[in-house]
Amino acid sequence: AQSVTQLGSHVSVSEGALVLLRCNYSSSVPPYLFWYVQYPNQGLQLLLKYTSAATLVKGINGFEAEFKKSETSFHLTKPSAHMSDAAEYFCAVNPYGNNRLAFGKGNQVVVIP
Amino acid sequence: DTGVSQDPRHKITKRGQNVTFRCDPISEHNRLYWYRQTLGQGPEFLTYFQNEAQLEKSRLLSDRFSAERPKGSFSTLEIQRTEQGDSAMYLCASSSSDGFTGELFFGEGSRLTVL
């Protein structure tokens, strides 16, 4: 079954520092890959997605992710963390033609002033 | 467009009782999904509707769980004879039918606590 792995459930980052969240997927075929974000007391919302077009994907709020097939990775980055980035971030995958998403365990990001 | 709404937001019940959650999707979306999220885990797929037809069910959806979407609009998720292991956040999401882009619109969830 297709799945994603996110390491480190809690990630602390200083305000203004690089945010890096790692996601590795297991798949025998190039998948669709996604990052979702959940702000406190809100529903999950799509941050960005990879659908086999450009390997560097830009999302909302200054986030971007790079698809690397050789490393089966789709890491999420933001050059400079802001206090408003404190949230939980989920990597997700779905195979072609499938209507369900498989989510990773998530990373809780804490931004330190 | 008011987004996906779920009711109730919180439910505390005793073991053995039945509970029902309601989801109202975005009005123009004909696909509706239920997920379950437990502490420290990402959302896990439960079931999916296209209009009123339930097209996929996860093995997580035991016989005590039933979901309906009678008129292709709102959906209900019922859990019968609740167990402590059912304690979780139940998430509803909807999407349009223009292929599957992976963009699901989630509600804020219904948190169930079984005592």
Side-chain angles (χ1 to χ4, degrees):
Chain A
Q2 302 227 357
S3 66
V4 292
T5 301
Q6 293 180 250
L7 298 178
S9 59
H10 285 75
V11 176
S12 294
V13 59
S14 297
E15 190 175 15
L18 171 72
V19 179
L20 170 60
L21 302 180
R22 300 178 186 274
C23 174
N24 289 88
Y25 66 92
S26 64
S27 173
S28 59
V29 297
Y32 287 173
L33 288 157
F34 312 87
W35 277 97
Y36 275 78
V37 60
Q38 186 172 26
Y39 297 105
N41 299 316
Q42 294 186 27
L44 282 83
Q45 65 181 91
L46 183 66
L47 198 56
L48 50 80
K49 63 182 179 183
Y50 168 76
T51 56
S52 76
T55 57
L56 183 63
V57 181
K58 295 187 183 299
I60 60 173
N61 300 335
F63 283 92
E64 62 181 35
E66 186 173 9
F67 173 73
K68 291 186 176 180
K69 184 178 178 181
S70 61
E71 299 177 6
T72 61
S73 68
F74 190 56
H75 301 333
L76 181 71
T77 60
K78 180 175 180 177
S80 177
H82 190 272
M83 296 300 294
S84 61
D85 295 326
E88 191 156 20
Y89 294 80
F90 295 94
C91 184
V93 65
N94 83 307
Y96 292 128
N98 193 309
N99 289 293
R100 62 170 72 182
L101 291 179
F103 287 87
K105 292 185 176 183
N107 292 121
Q108 184 69 51
V109 171
V110 175
V111 182
I112 302 168
Chain B
D1 181 2
T2 58
V4 178
S5 62
Q6 294 187 243
D7 184 71
R9 294 289 311 280
H10 303 274
K11 179 72 175 178
I12 300 174
T13 190
K14 293 182 179 180
R15 185 163 51 98
Q17 298 296 304
N18 298 344
V19 297
T20 299
F21 301 113
R22 176 181 169 123
C23 172
D24 287 88
I26 294 172
S27 57
E28 61 266 30
H29 287 175
N30 61 357
R31 293 180 175 177
L32 186 147
Y33 306 78
W34 285 99
Y35 282 79
R36 181 175 70 184
Q37 186 177 13
T38 53
L39 198 62
Q41 301 294 321
E44 298 171 295
F45 173 83
L46 292 179
T47 189
Y48 148 69
F49 291 84
Q50 174 134 346
N51 299 313
E52 65 275 10
Q54 188 174 17
L55 298 186
E56 280 192 68
K57 292 171 62 173
S58 163
R59 288 175 296 176
L60 293 175
L61 215 64
S62 75
D63 292 344
R64 296 184 299 105
F65 288 71
S66 63
E68 294 182 343
R69 195 182 182 199
K71 297 182 179 179
S73 56
F74 73 92
S75 175
T76 58
L77 177 68
E78 181 183 16
I79 309 174
Q80 296 182 327
R81 305 181 303 281
T82 52
E83 302 173 355
Q84 289 184 327
D86 297 331
S87 295
M89 178 76 85
Y90 290 86
L91 303 172
C92 177
S94 67
S95 72
S96 67
S97 60
D98 296 332
F100 183 68
T101 64
E103 183 161 15
L104 303 184
F105 294 81
F106 283 85
E108 295 177 346
S110 293
R111 182 172 296 283
L112 173 65
T113 302
V114 181
L115 302 177

